[in-house]
Amino acid sequence: MGWYDRKTRRVRDLSCGDTRILLELEVRRLDCRNCGKVKRERLDFLADNPLYTKRFAYFVGRRCRQASIADVAKELALDWHAVKALEMQYMEAQLARVGRPGPQVIGIDEIAIRKGHTYRIVVSDLLRGRPIWFGGDDRSEASMAQFYAWLGERKSARIRLAVMDMWKPFRMATRAHAPQAAILFDKFHVMRHLGEALDTVRKSEYARLSGRDRRYIKGQKYTLLSRRENLTLDGKRALRTLLAANKRLNTAYLLKESFGQLWSYEREGWARRFFENWRASLKWQRLKPYERFAAMIDRHWDGIAVYCRPENKVSLGFVEGLNNKIRVIQRRAYGLRDEDYLRLKILTCMLPIL
């Protein structure tokens, strides 16, 4: 790894913290007949910034996978903008190596890139486990159509399954540009709606009670929303106390936990029977948020029943895991407003290193 010194026309190396001359170069300068300017000979082993070699650029790119630009710039005594440019060249090389995707199963989700409801769409290849497209102007149907235009008509026709939330513009764009693809609603987004219904019940119970009766409910939002096996010992103890003290919350929590069984069925008829029984158990429970949730599931049943088919048993946790990784990238690059840089970071976060 090293850089090219334009004054001495030498490539210098940074190995072991010292500076060693690798070789001397005679870089030829030519008069361009078209523009009349003097052009310098292009050397394959130099980075886009001719002061550095590609080997050094790739070293910087690998370091930036674990650290921020500012940290790498401080470590290597380089300018912040130089480090960013070298990392972007590294990420472009990563994308060039994997080539243009031709996905069969895609996951669609949106991310907020800044405050004020500014969204971009992220599309992932769920079979290969990597994001393949980042773009759009918002989360509208027109922005989603930009992905299918980028992918092309031939490759869009190869998509057999599209996993998404229940956002209508995503569904409409997919039906228009990939009508052969089955649409599956993501389990984690469905369960998020159920968690919101449970939290609404918790708030109503807290408002209904007064005095010391509130102490069991206060501060227990995430205890209720978490699965029992994911809680710590103190969390399980607090959950047990809460459920014993409030019968309505106990019923709501048990209904929330049992609903996850819906995705274990391999036939649509069995899944539908389970849902109807679960919906019938809401009778006389005075759980209006759960009744609204059940009505929403009934309206979107086709997009949930798709998962019962054996060929559609794909990993539904990848999109949620990618969102967590994107949030880490955004926090590390706090204050950065370069969307091209963010796009490269997202598209390469799952790719092997060079």
Side-chain angles (χ1 to χ4, degrees):
M1 55 190 172
W3 73 85
Y4 171 64
D5 191 331
R6 286 186 296 182
K7 293 183 179 179
T8 62
R9 298 184 183 180
R10 292 171 176 173
V11 175
R12 299 185 179 274
D13 191 65
L14 295 177
S15 303
C16 304
D18 63 351
T19 302
R20 295 187 294 107
I21 298 176
L22 293 181
L23 68 155
E24 294 190 9
L25 298 173
E26 288 295 334
V27 181
R28 290 176 293 184
R29 297 174 180 272
L30 305 173
D31 292 325
C32 180
R33 295 179 179 177
N34 295 326
C35 64
K37 296 181 180 180
V38 177
K39 299 294 183 70
R40 186 176 54 248
E41 180 183 10
R42 178 70 179 175
L43 301 175
D44 291 338
F45 66 89
L46 292 182
D48 292 341
N49 184 337
L51 299 180
Y52 307 97
T53 63
K54 282 185 179 179
R55 184 183 173 201
F56 181 64
Y58 290 178
F59 170 75
V60 171
R62 289 192 294 270
R63 287 291 296 117
C64 288
R65 289 175 70 97
Q66 289 85 31
S68 65
I69 295 177
D71 291 337
V72 176
K74 184 178 180 180
E75 175 188 345
L76 300 177
L78 296 174
D79 181 69
W80 185 92
H81 297 282
V83 173
K84 178 187 172 186
L86 292 173
E87 185 192 5
M88 291 184 71
Q89 181 180 356
Y90 171 79
M91 293 187 290
E92 292 282 7
Q94 283 184 294
L95 291 177
R97 173 171 291 189
V98 296
R100 197 171 182 85
Q104 298 183 24
V105 180
I106 60 173
I108 305 170
D109 201 6
E110 76 277 355
I111 62 166
I113 61 171
R114 61 179 67 94
K115 294 182 179 179
H117 300 285
T118 304
Y119 295 99
R120 296 294 181 267
I121 301 172
V122 179
V123 182
S124 305
D125 186 336
L126 296 187
L127 295 184
R128 291 176 172 81
R130 70 178 184 93
I132 58 175
W133 190 78
F134 170 89
D137 303 316
D138 45 30
R139 52 177 182 166
S140 63
E141 183 177 346
S143 292
M144 188 66 234
Q146 292 179 24
F147 162 72
Y148 293 106
W150 170 82
L151 190 63
E153 184 177 348
R154 183 176 62 85
K155 289 188 176 181
S156 296
R158 296 178 56 191
I159 299 175
R160 63 174 179 82
L161 181 65
V163 182
M164 63 186 73
D165 59 15
M166 289 178 278
W167 185 243
K168 187 176 179 180
F170 292 170
R171 190 166 69 249
M172 297 298 293
T174 301
R175 286 176 176 170
H177 298 278
Q180 78 291 340
I183 295 177
L184 171 62
F185 296 133
D186 187 10
K187 170 185 175 181
F188 292 92
H189 286 91
V190 174
M191 295 302 292
R192 186 178 301 166
H193 285 286
L194 183 54
E196 291 172 356
L198 174 59
D199 192 49
T200 303
V201 175
R202 181 191 65 85
K203 291 177 180 178
S204 65
E205 285 297 287
Y206 185 81
R208 183 178 65 84
L209 300 174
S210 61
R212 292 177 58 84
D213 292 336
R214 286 183 167 186
R215 69 183 186 275
Y216 299 110
I217 301 176
K218 187 176 182 179
Q220 299 301 323
K221 173 182 177 180
Y222 294 104
T223 301
L224 279 172
L225 295 181
S226 300
R227 300 193 65 179
R228 191 188 300 267
E229 58 267 25
N230 295 334
L231 293 172
T232 62
L233 186 60
D234 291 339
K236 291 179 181 178
R237 187 180 299 113
L239 178 64
R240 186 165 54 250
T241 303
L242 171 61
L243 298 183
N246 193 294
K247 182 179 178 181
R248 193 158 177 248
L249 279 178
N250 180 57
T251 302
Y253 181 81
L254 293 177
L255 286 169
K256 188 265 291 186
E257 289 289 280
S258 65
F259 189 81
Q261 183 180 340
L262 179 65
W263 280 267
S264 64
Y265 292 100
E266 297 183 354
R267 293 190 180 181
E268 182 180 348
W270 297 347
R272 185 68 192 189
R273 184 180 303 175
F274 167 81
F275 172 68
E276 293 297 343
N277 291 336
W278 186 89
R279 190 177 189 180
S281 64
L282 299 178
K283 192 175 182 180
W284 312 115
Q285 298 296 340
R286 298 180 296 115
L287 296 172
K288 292 295 183 182
Y290 275 53
E291 293 174 8
R292 291 193 292 269
F293 170 77
M296 180 190 70
I297 295 300
D298 190 39
R299 291 195 305 270
H300 298 86
W301 177 255
D302 290 342
I304 296 174
V306 169
Y307 191 66
C308 296
R309 301 170 190 167
E311 65 272 17
N312 296 334
K313 295 289 185 180
V314 296
S315 175
L316 298 180
F318 177 82
V319 174
E320 194 69 17
L322 177 62
N323 283 344
N324 293 333
K325 186 176 284 292
I326 291 174
R327 282 191 284 270
V328 171
I329 293 172
Q330 289 176 308
R331 284 197 298 269
R332 182 181 292 171
Y334 178 76
L336 192 64
R337 293 293 181 264
D338 190 341
E339 276 194 39
D340 287 335
Y341 178 78
L342 179 61
R343 178 185 68 85
L344 290 172
K345 291 290 284 186
I346 291 173
L347 295 182
T348 60
C349 65
M350 300 291 187
L351 294 182
I353 63 175
L354 295 180

